[in-house]
Amino acid sequence: MQTISKKTKADVLLHNDVPVLTYTIHYPSFTSTCSSVTAPAISQFYEIQSRQAEKYCREVLYPQAVENAMYAKDNEFPFHSYEFLSDYDVTYNEDCITSLYTDQYSYLGGAHGNTLRQSQTWDFQTGDQLNLTDFFPDVKALNNTIFQVIKNDISNRMKDAPASYFDDYPHLIRGNFDMNAFFLKPCGLVIYYQQYDIAPYASGIPEFFFPFVDCTEDAASS
């Protein structure tokens, strides 16, 4: 079993005493009863990710924010401070398996921000990431069954909200499919697509649940 603690990197970056960028980066750190070796290595994975995200904020977003603030001041436009928020959600943590996703939200002064999702599922006995093929070992079934389920699910959703997906979603669900875009939940797994991959911004990050056939009713409700 894994114990998870939250770590945070955060700062408010100024230009001429004006806050132009605020960033908050939450990331997990693990201990585990399954192995004394794998937990520090997996924790290091997220520590490195957090450093990369902080570097991106300070070396890429901050200069952009300063340039935008100076342009707004020179042209007497309102300036909206940039924001970067990264946070994670643990969706499964049982025995030696932990699954989670991280959403990175960026607001760059436009009409709205954008969110990018990444996910990992870990085996703390081996230290390896599990792949979608670990749960769908039959590649042919992966190509046929998964896309058909997603297509049928979207078709049903569009009966209540006709504009919730792009018209060419049957093509997009294949073209934009990412083998790494999944996470576990009790009794199943969720496959997701990024914003704009198959649906408008208002639909957020589309998710599709695939239950495990051997799932018990008690586990499904947990």
Side-chain angles (χ1 to χ4, degrees):
M1 184 69 174
Q2 289 61 252
T3 300
I4 307 168
S5 58
K6 177 176 285 191
K7 292 189 173 183
T8 301
K9 290 178 169 64
D11 204 353
V12 178
L13 303 185
L14 308 177
H15 177 71
N16 293 335
D17 295 326
V18 176
V20 296
L21 170 64
T22 300
Y23 68 81
T24 305
I25 302 163
H26 300 298
Y27 60 101
S29 181
F30 300 91
T31 59
S32 176
T33 59
C34 298
S35 171
S36 61
V37 176
T38 61
I42 294 172
S43 297
Q44 182 68 10
F45 172 90
Y46 291 102
E47 176 66 34
I48 292 172
Q49 279 199 334
S50 73
R51 293 175 188 171
Q52 292 172 339
E54 186 171 44
K55 182 178 181 180
Y56 170 71
C57 290
R58 304 186 77 91
E59 297 184 5
V60 177
L61 291 187
Y62 177 64
Q64 293 178 6
V66 169
E67 183 178 359
N68 195 342
M70 294 174 63
Y71 179 84
K73 182 179 180 180
D74 291 343
N75 293 274
E76 298 182 347
F77 293 154
F79 170 71
H80 302 286
S81 179
Y82 282 27
E83 180 183 359
F84 182 89
L85 172 62
S86 179
D87 203 357
Y88 66 92
D89 185 11
V90 178
T91 58
Y92 186 90
N93 186 31
E94 296 291 339
D95 298 323
C96 295
I97 304 297
T98 299
S99 187
L100 70 156
Y101 66 81
T102 300
D103 282 347
Q104 292 186 342
Y105 170 83
S106 301
Y107 175 72
L108 308 181
H112 53 70
N114 291 309
T115 300
L116 177 68
R117 175 172 291 179
Q118 295 179 322
S119 54
Q120 297 83 33
T121 298
W122 299 97
D123 182 340
F124 275 77
Q125 283 187 318
T126 64
D128 294 333
Q129 281 194 53
L130 298 179
N131 300 311
L132 194 58
T133 50
D134 291 317
F135 305 96
F136 292 92
D138 187 338
V139 176
K140 184 177 180 180
L142 177 68
N143 291 335
N144 294 331
T145 305
I146 288 184
F147 292 132
Q148 190 60 49
V149 169
I150 293 175
K151 184 179 177 180
N152 292 342
D153 198 349
I154 292 175
S155 179
N156 290 329
R157 296 180 190 187
M158 292 183 71
K159 293 176 183 178
D160 296 325
S164 56
Y165 290 86
F166 295 136
D167 291 339
D168 56 344
Y169 72 85
H171 170 72
L172 294 175
I173 61 175
R174 291 179 177 270
N176 291 322
F177 181 70
D178 181 357
M179 287 284 290
N180 296 315
F182 79 96
F183 55 86
L184 296 187
K185 297 188 74 173
C187 271
L189 61 80
V190 173
I191 292 173
Y192 62 89
Y193 288 82
Q194 303 294 347
Q195 285 183 329
Y196 297 115
D197 272 357
I198 63 174
Y201 175 83
S203 295
I205 296 178
E207 298 181 352
F208 304 93
F209 181 67
F210 291 78
F212 295 141
V213 294
D214 57 349
C215 175
T216 64
E217 191 171 311
D218 289 341
S221 62
S222 63

